[in-house]
């Protein structure tokens, strides 16, 4: 084996391997940083992890005329079909409002309890990304999963609690507590326990599972007073699609511009990250080509001597091993340095994230590492097979 290593050292081209090393390093760093930066950016909206960024909420504009005349602001089936035919929405769901009385009592241990009138709404479960065991309701269950608006908690902490001398509550503490909920009136009423499973800064409503809403509206609501949906939730593929803005203006619909802009920003970021990662992949492919060309030239220069080694009894696997070890070793070194560079760059932009978002909790780097290891394994396997094939061609030639 030492003979093969000596042959390898005699004709090795340092500039070629250095060129591969730095080109591949640049490509892998770009890919890992693209994956990690996008994951970090997505976690900025972690409290809404159950609501995807490409969802938008639409309602009809309420003006003075509609208020005075009582003109309806609900969406009919024809309205929904018309939006579907417009082509910019992949999925459409309706907010189903509660048509029954809801009263909640909240007990703060050691302090006075308070109660309030409230309301419920639901959307189809496909629009809510909560673990199935946490977001489900079956008839007969005593607990109701609830998603609360984040600004409700802020109103309690910085308004009601501060004025009444009550303790301020974090999201974690409130999620561990229970709400006593009374639904309906008089004889047609029921007692339930509300279990808070999330908080949203994008939804200004109190969300419950659709299965509970359908059952409760049938059981506790006056069927003559059942309400039609006044808001729709749309899943759009491209929030920057000009058809969305044009359609909303033409039909006198409105959506939260700030949230629409956030969806556009996320979409544009996704496109930019994809482009950057494609550039990184192209650079890595070109560097891989440089490496294989260098190895093939090295094998070709040593073909006569390698053929002699094969003739005196060395197997193709033993002759191939030094070249394979060289390529795999370079790939491993590239990945290690790429991860180190990624962590350094990530530390710089995470400081910026922390300055703007003090509560930001950085996610792990396992996904980026997984991408890097996957690339390493794929490229290394291809290197090993290609080098072995080249040596085999020399071995067959000796026959």
């Amino acid at each position: 084996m030492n003979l093969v290593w000596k042959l390898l050292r005699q004709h090795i081209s340092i500039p070629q391997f250095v060129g591969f090393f730095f080109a591949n390093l640049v490509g892998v760093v770009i890919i890992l940083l693209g994956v990690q930066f996008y994951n970090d950016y997505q976690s900025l909206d972690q409290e809404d992890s159950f609501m995807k960024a490409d969802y938008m909420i639409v309602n009809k504009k309420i003006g003075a005329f509609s208020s005075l005349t009582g003109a309806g602001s609900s969406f009919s089936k024809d309205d929904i079909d018309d939006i579907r035919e417009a082509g910019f929405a992949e999925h459409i769901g309706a907010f189903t409002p509660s048509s029954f009385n809801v009263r909640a009592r909240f007990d703060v241990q050691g302090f006075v309890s308070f109660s309030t009138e409230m309301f419920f709404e639901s959307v189809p479960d496909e629009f809510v990304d909560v673990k199935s065991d946490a977001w489900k309701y079956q008839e007969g269950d005593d607990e109701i999963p609830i998603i609360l608006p984040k600004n409700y908690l802020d109103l309690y902490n910085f308004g009601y609690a501060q004025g009444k001398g009550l303790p301020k509550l974090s999201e974690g503490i409130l999620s561990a507590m229970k709400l006593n909920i009374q639904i309906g009136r008089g004889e047609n009423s029921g007692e339930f326990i509300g279990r808070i499973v999330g908080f949203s800064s994008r939804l200004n409503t109190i969300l419950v599972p659709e299965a509970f809403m359908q059952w409760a509206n049938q059981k506790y609501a006056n069927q003559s007073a059942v309400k039609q949906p006044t808001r729709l939730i749309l899943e759009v593929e491209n929030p920057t699609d000009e058809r969305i803005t044009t359609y909303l203006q033409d039909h006198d619909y409105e959506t939260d511009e700030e949230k629409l802009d956030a969806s556009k920003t996320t979409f544009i970021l996704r496109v930019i990250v994809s482009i950057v990662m494609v550039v990184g992949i192209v650079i890595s492919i070109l560097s891989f080509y440089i490496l294989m060309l260098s190895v093939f030239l090295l094998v070709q220069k040593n073909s006569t001597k390698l053929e002699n080694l094969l003739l005196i009894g060395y197997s193709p696997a033993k002759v191939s091993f030094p070249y394979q070890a060289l390529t795999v070793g370079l790939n491993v070194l590239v990945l290690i340095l790429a991860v180190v560079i990624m962590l350094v760059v990530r530390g710089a932009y995470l400081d910026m994230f922390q300055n703007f978002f003090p509560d930001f909790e950085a996610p792990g780097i396992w996904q980026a590492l997984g991408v890097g290891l996957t690339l390493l394994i794929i490229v290394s396997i291809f290197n090993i097979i290609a080098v072995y094939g080249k040596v085999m061609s020399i071995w067959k030639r000796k026959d």
Side-chain angles (χ1 to χ4, degrees), residues 125-140:
D125 290 343
E126 65 186 271
F127 291 93
V128 183
D129 187 17
V130 174
K131 293 181 180 179
S132 58
D133 57 343
W135 190 251
K136 66 178 181 180
Y137 179 84
Q138 294 181 344
E139 184 177 344

Side-chain angles (χ1 to χ4, degrees), residues 91-147:
H91 298 95
I92 303 175
F95 280 81
T96 303
S98 56
S99 299
F100 45 82
N101 181 67
V102 180
R103 189 169 189 85
R105 190 178 76 254
F106 183 62
D107 297 316
V108 183
Q109 190 172 5
F111 295 85
V112 295
S113 63
F114 59 92
S115 62
T116 181
E117 296 283 346
M118 60 190 301
F119 65 94
F120 287 152
E121 281 189 300
S122 69
V123 295
D125 290 343
E126 65 186 271
F127 291 93
V128 183
D129 187 17
V130 174
K131 293 181 180 179
S132 58
D133 57 343
W135 190 251
K136 66 178 181 180
Y137 179 84
Q138 294 181 344
E139 184 177 344
D141 289 349
D142 294 329
E143 283 195 347
I144 310 170
I146 297 173
I147 294 174

Side-chain angles (χ1 to χ4, degrees), residues 234-259:
L234 313 179
E235 181 183 358
V236 296
E237 181 179 3
N238 180 7
T240 64
D241 193 335
E242 294 182 357
R243 292 178 297 172
I244 298 175
T245 303
T246 302
Y247 186 90
L248 296 180
Q249 291 175 345
D250 292 344
H251 291 77
D252 236 14
Y253 296 164
E254 62 182 2
T255 187
D256 190 316
E257 292 295 333
E258 182 180 346
K259 294 180 176 65

